[in-house]
Amino acid sequence: MNAKTAGVGSVRQALRSTLLGAGVVAALLAATACQPSGGDDEGAGPSGSASAGKSPTKSTESSSSDSGTGSGSSAGDNANGDSGETSGGNGTDHQDCKVTDLRAAVELQDAAGETPRHFLLTVTNGNASPCVLNEAPLVRLGAGNSAPTVENLEEPDTEPLVVEGGGKAYAGLYIFGNDEGGEAEYDQSARFTASLVAGEGTELSGTLVFDLPDGLHTVSYDDAARVNGWAGTEGLAMRPINQL
C-alpha cells in the first residue's frame, strides 16, 4: 500500500468514526425528547386531590334539619295551649247553670198541723247539657233586694256541683225557730228567692223564685232562719236542717 492510499484510508476511517458518533448522539437526543417529564406527573396528583375536596359540608345539612325540628317543637307547645282552662270559670268543663234553664220547686218537710219550718228547695236542669251550681244560693225570705237574707247553716261547699241534663239539685231551708204562741206577731213571707253564685264567686248570676207549696199562703220567719245548699241528694240537703 502506498502512502497516498494509506492517507485516503485514514481520512475515510476518521469520517466513519465521526458519522458514527454523530448518529449515536442524535439517537440519544431523540430518546431524551420522547421521554415524559417527571415534573408533570408529580403535579397531576395534587391537582386531582384539590378538586375532590370541593363538596358540601355535613354541618350545613344538619343545620337545615335542626331548623325543621325546632319548628315542630314550637307547634307542640302551642297545641298544649290553654286546654286545662275551664269554660265556666268554676273548675269544671261545664258552664254555670242559668236561671232560664232551671225549674224551681219547694216542698214542706213538716207534718200537717206542725208549724212550717223546714223546706226543701229543688232545681231541675231543663237543658240537655250539664251545668254547675256554685257554693250555696243567696236565699231571701221574700221577693226583691229588700227582703231579709238567710244565713248559711255552715260554710258552703266550695266544690262545684255538676247538675246533669234533666238532673236535680237541692238546698235545705229552715225559717222559724220561735215556739212562742199566743198574741206574738212574726214577720211573714209568701215566697222565697234564691240567687245563684257565679263560678268566680264574686257576683250573682240570676235569681229563682220559689212560691210556697199549695195550702200555704204565708209563713212566719225569724232570725233563726238558715240555709244549707247545694247538694246532689235530698238527704244531704235536709239532714243538717232537720236537726234544727
Side-chain angles (χ1 to χ4, degrees), residues 32-43:
T32 302
C34 293
Q35 183 177 356
S37 172
D40 293 341
D41 289 343
E42 293 174 359

Side-chain angles (χ1 to χ4, degrees), residues 12 16 18 31 46 67 92 112 117-118 132-133 140 162 164 166 212:
R12 288 178 178 172
R16 187 180 294 112
T18 301
S67 175
T92 78
R117 305 172 188 272
H118 306 83
V132 170
L133 293 172
R140 295 181 183 273
V162 177
E164 298 296 333
L212 295 180

Side-chain angles (χ1 to χ4, degrees), residues 6-34:
V8 172
S10 298
V11 171
R12 288 178 178 172
Q13 186 175 2
L15 289 172
R16 187 180 294 112
S17 297
T18 301
L19 292 173
L20 181 60
V24 172
V25 172
L28 290 173
L29 291 174
T32 302
C34 293

Side-chain angles (χ1 to χ4, degrees), residues 50-64:
S51 176
K54 295 178 181 179
S55 61
T57 63
K58 191 172 183 179
S59 62
T60 302
E61 296 173 359
S62 298
S63 175
S64 175

Side-chain angles (χ1 to χ4, degrees), residues 9 12 19 28 37 43 45 50 72 88 94 116 130 160-161 163 180 192 210 212:
R12 288 178 178 172
L19 292 173
L28 290 173
S37 172
H94 309 297
L161 177 65
V163 185
E180 294 182 8
F192 312 131
F210 295 83
L212 295 180

